[in-house]
Amino acid sequence: MDRHDRERRAIEAARLTRRLTDRGVVGVALTWVDNSGVVRTKAVPVQRLERTAEWGVGASPVFDAFTPDDTIVAGRYAGGPIGDLRLLPDLNRVTVLAAQPGWAWAPVDRYTRGGEPHPQDSRGALHRAVAKLSADGLTVKAAVEIEWALRLDRKEFVPATRGPAYGFTRVVERSDYLAELLTALWDQDVAVEQIHPEYASGQFEVSVAAEDPVGAADTFVLVRETIRAVSLRHGLRASFSPKVDAAGVGNGGHVHLSVWQDGVNLHGGGDGPCAMTTTAEGFAAGILERLPALLAIGAPSVASYLRLVPGQWAAPFQACGHENRETALRFVTGSTGEERTAPNLEVKVFDQSANPYLCLAGLLFAGMAGARSGARLPPLVDVDPSSLTEQQRAERGIRMLPTSLAEATDALEADALLTEAFGAELVATIADVHRAEIARFADASPEDIAAALRWAF
Ligand code: GLU
Ligand code: MG
């Protein structure tokens, strides 16, 4: 960030400020996501946006070392009282918040006071991953599905709908709420593709159009906070936790990805499985191989492992299949006639305790390594892996993914490629934060874990 960058940003922000003021904005919330998947913020009055665009606002690096219940960990590379960073809003993504009158929002990149990207900034890691991808002549389109459990805003945990799974009754019951949500997302330029009641009681889901990875991670933050805000306006609360209630089906945060080259989707038109090109197959194989380590980023809470059980479409098997909802990687090919645009891969194991920037960066790093080395996929699995005996699974090369955050964290720290790609300091901090959460819940029952983390994300 040099003098010219700062001057350019100040001019752009001055223009933006006039537009925001005309629309009644008084405050701009600047957000980043920490290593526990919690969206943290500092806000500035709109009159301060110009100065903020130029110089940023201060924030301590200690935020890298927060657990989801706000305990501060004394990590190896984060957690002390020393130091200060600068939050620089992405001016291209400033959005007037439809469900929070008077407010606008922008995601930030965190810089050092010297104007260098903060080495432990997750959005920065994703920028680096995207730059690497583009050096290989590739782009990725991505989207994260958001599921949430809607509850009455009461002390007891009461579902906000009585209708059945996928039942239209739920839409009738919460018609005004859902209409206001769609309107708010439309006003904020979010391209919603679908909204529906999900399986668990009071659960809904929204899916959005795929976009560039940084945009997709920003959209994930914006959509989730919009759902939260609209819910509160209706006297409701939205839980995005992987397991809102120990006995029920959880909330996923499934990630869809497709790799493109020169405007062509590489997941179709090739000779590989599901007509994937060699590059798309390598990319998928790279992700599949590294899933145990990637879980520490994509399913990074103790509650994540309550969700990752067979039979709940959370797909805890290291396997891939064509339209198979019980394999961690599901290949989606779309309808006949859509082969040029629709095909993509879905990572089903991830959830919304994940930091979306880290999550997408991890998938890109793993995918690129697979594509570069020409990795090949194992045979696709066309049954529910849990219906096979352990021996049948072993014969097909299907392994169970880590069943605890501890196992996944060890796998991440042991992964030299991901450690190099993210940077050793960031990986150490992620591991330190996870180990503190593991210790905190060492003796907790599933019910206690679900209750403690229900409103954290
Ligand atoms: N709620 C399920 C999960 O925890 C996913 C349901 C679906 O496939 O949409 O991931
Ligand atoms: Mg779903």
Side-chain angles (χ1 to χ4, degrees):
M1 178 82 39
D2 62 21
R3 190 165 56 84
H4 299 292
D5 294 327
R6 292 189 195 279
E7 279 168 10
R8 219 174 315 123
R9 289 172 55 82
I11 293 165
E12 168 69 18
R15 222 177 297 147
L16 255 173
T17 303
R18 283 192 294 277
R19 285 218 300 273
L20 295 176
T21 314
D22 285 350
R23 294 186 59 188
V25 169
V26 293
V28 186
L30 310 174
T31 65
W32 72 101
V33 186
D34 73 11
N35 290 314
S36 293
V38 178
V39 180
R40 309 273 177 190
T41 195
K42 287 216 168 177
V44 292
V46 71
Q47 297 80 0
R48 190 79 181 165
L49 182 63
E50 192 178 325
R51 157 97 196 171
T52 303
E54 192 174 358
W55 294 105
V57 287
S60 165
V62 78
F63 291 115
D64 291 332
F66 271 51
T67 66
D69 66 355
D70 296 342
T71 305
I72 299 174
V73 176
R76 285 165 279 179
Y77 297 99
I82 315 297
D84 209 28
L85 298 170
R86 292 292 175 267
L87 310 178
L88 282 127
D90 184 335
L91 299 175
N92 293 320
R93 200 60 210 252
V94 174
T95 304
V96 178
L97 294 175
Q100 289 171 254
W103 284 92
W105 159 87
V108 301
D109 291 307
R110 294 183 301 154
Y111 281 77
T112 65
R113 283 172 301 129
E116 298 297 323
H118 170 43
Q120 298 196 51
D121 184 49
S122 58
R123 200 168 185 265
L126 185 51
H127 284 307
R128 288 202 307 278
V130 170
K132 249 182 146 167
L133 192 69
S134 108
D136 286 358
L138 302 172
T139 54
V140 156
K141 288 191 190 179
V144 186
E145 292 176 10
I146 297 181
E147 296 183 328
W148 73 100
L150 192 63
R151 293 295 183 263
L152 301 180
D153 191 4
R154 294 210 201 120
K155 209 155 170 258
E156 326 82 84
F157 191 54
V158 184
T161 61
R162 295 189 199 182
Y166 309 101
F168 184 56
T169 306
R170 286 195 199 170
V171 178
V172 177
E173 288 175 284
R174 290 294 165 197
S175 209
D176 290 348
Y177 164 76
L178 294 169
E180 191 176 318
L181 178 57
L182 284 177
T183 308
L185 293 172
W186 171 268
D187 288 347
Q188 293 171 182
D189 295 328
V190 175
V192 172
E193 293 201 331
Q194 192 178 304
I195 186 161
H196 66 269
E198 253 292 342
Y199 187 86
S201 71
Q203 194 181 32
F204 288 93
E205 170 174 336
V206 83
S207 41
V208 297
E211 57 192 308
D212 71 276
V214 176
D218 291 338
T219 296
F220 170 82
V221 171
L222 176 63
V223 172
R224 222 168 49 157
E225 296 313 318
T226 305
I227 293 169
R228 204 188 312 275
V230 174
S231 302
L232 288 171
R233 290 170 78 81
H234 285 257
L236 305 168
R237 285 188 93 182
S239 170
F240 304 94
S241 178
K243 199 73 167 179
V244 285
D245 139 28
V249 169
N251 288 318
H254 307 174
V255 180
H256 288 262
L257 281 178
S258 53
V259 187
W260 296 65
Q261 188 166 37
D262 302 327
V264 177
N265 183 343
L266 299 182
H267 294 260
D271 302 325
C274 295
M276 274 180 246
T277 61
T278 318
T279 304
E281 180 179 357
F283 202 89
I287 290 173
L288 185 65
E289 181 197 330
R290 294 206 137 74
L291 271 183
L294 289 171
L295 271 196
I297 287 162
S301 128
V302 169
S304 301
Y305 297 83
L306 301 176
R307 167 182 169 261
L308 283 178
V309 291
Q312 304 201 355
W313 295 354
F317 295 99
Q318 190 174 11
C320 55
H322 182 201
E323 293 292 8
N324 189 337
R325 285 180 171 76
E326 284 291 344
T327 54
L329 283 197
R330 167 188 171 214
F331 299 125
V332 179
T333 45
S335 305
T336 309
E338 285 188 305
E339 293 85 353
R340 296 176 66 89
T341 51
N344 66 82
L345 66 86
E346 179 185 33
V347 184
K348 289 194 74 74
V349 265
F350 289 2
D351 66 61
Q352 297 169 68
S353 59
N355 171 324
Y357 303 100
L358 290 179
C359 193
L360 286 165
L363 291 171
L364 296 193
F365 288 137
M368 275 185 280
R372 281 182 186 176
S373 68
R376 305 296 304 270
L377 284 167
L380 303 193
V381 174
D382 57 2
V383 293
D384 178 348
S386 63
S387 70
L388 302 174
T389 62
E390 224 164 278
Q391 196 192 328
Q392 287 169 323
R393 281 202 291 267
E395 280 161 14
R396 291 185 180 218
I398 303 173
R399 276 193 296 270
M400 194 80 194
L401 282 164
T403 54
S404 69
L405 182 57
E407 219 185 300
T409 303
D410 290 346
L412 175 64
E413 278 206 304
D415 191 309
L417 180 120
L418 290 175
T419 302
E420 217 244 302
F422 277 113
E425 294 181 10
L426 177 51
V427 167
T429 303
I430 292 169
D432 292 341
V433 167
H434 289 354
R435 294 212 173 94
E437 189 183 323
I438 293 163
R440 149 91 172 78
F441 290 112
D443 300 319
S445 66
E447 289 73 20
D448 291 342
I449 295 168
L453 295 174
R454 193 170 284 149
W455 307 113
F457 309 106

